[in-house]
Amino acid sequence: MFRTMMNGKIHRARVTEANLNYVGSITIDSDILDAVGMVPNEKVQIVNNNNGARFETYIIPGERGTGVVCLNGAAARLVQEGDVVIIISYVMVAEEKVPTHKPKVAIMDEYNNITELLHAEPERTIL
């Protein structure tokens, strides 16, 4: 049996741009992607803390060191610049490996800098 587990999470990133005229996807600073183990073209779930929208798209790598988090195409209708979002990737894990699976969680500041990198979410996390 396999379970779908969180593999990477970018917690409380700020949307830097919403580009309706692009084909589609989310552009994320490549340094952030590396830190949480996400890759270009990977499917991700986006949760918008400002309006409650939850949707899926795929990743396009953004310029390193820019802090870019840009929603493109139809997804741009679900966010506004400055919105706080959570970006989550998932992986299928064999049942016997579930107890040792360690996701990477990047806690972001208001400028999309990583302030902390966790391998689990502590109970009752309030940020």
Side-chain angles (χ1 to χ4, degrees), residues 10 15-16 19 23 32-33 57 66 79 87 98 104 109 117-118:
I10 303 168
V15 174
T16 59
N19 186 343
V23 175
I32 298 169
L33 294 178
T57 190
T66 61
V79 301
I87 305 160
V98 167
K104 293 179 181 177
D109 69 11
L117 191 60
L118 308 172

Side-chain angles (χ1 to χ4, degrees), residues 39-61:
V39 296
N41 300 308
E42 183 173 6
K43 178 181 175 179
V44 289
Q45 179 182 40
I46 315 293
V47 180
N48 186 330
N49 282 12
N50 291 79
N51 65 20
R54 297 175 80 92
F55 54 96
E56 295 175 339
T57 190
Y58 63 93
I59 297 169
I60 290 179

Side-chain angles (χ1 to χ4, degrees), residues 39-103:
V39 296
N41 300 308
E42 183 173 6
K43 178 181 175 179
V44 289
Q45 179 182 40
I46 315 293
V47 180
N48 186 330
N49 282 12
N50 291 79
N51 65 20
R54 297 175 80 92
F55 54 96
E56 295 175 339
T57 190
Y58 63 93
I59 297 169
I60 290 179
E63 186 177 342
R64 291 183 181 279
T66 61
V68 65
V69 175
C70 177
L71 276 299
N72 303 300
R77 294 208 181 268
L78 300 172
V79 301
Q80 294 182 33
E81 186 176 323
D83 280 359
V84 174
V85 294
I86 300 169
I87 305 160
I88 310 161
S89 68
Y90 298 92
V91 66
M92 299 297 291
V93 177
E95 184 72 24
E96 62 274 8
K97 294 189 178 189
V98 167
T100 59
H101 175 68
K102 301 276 189 225

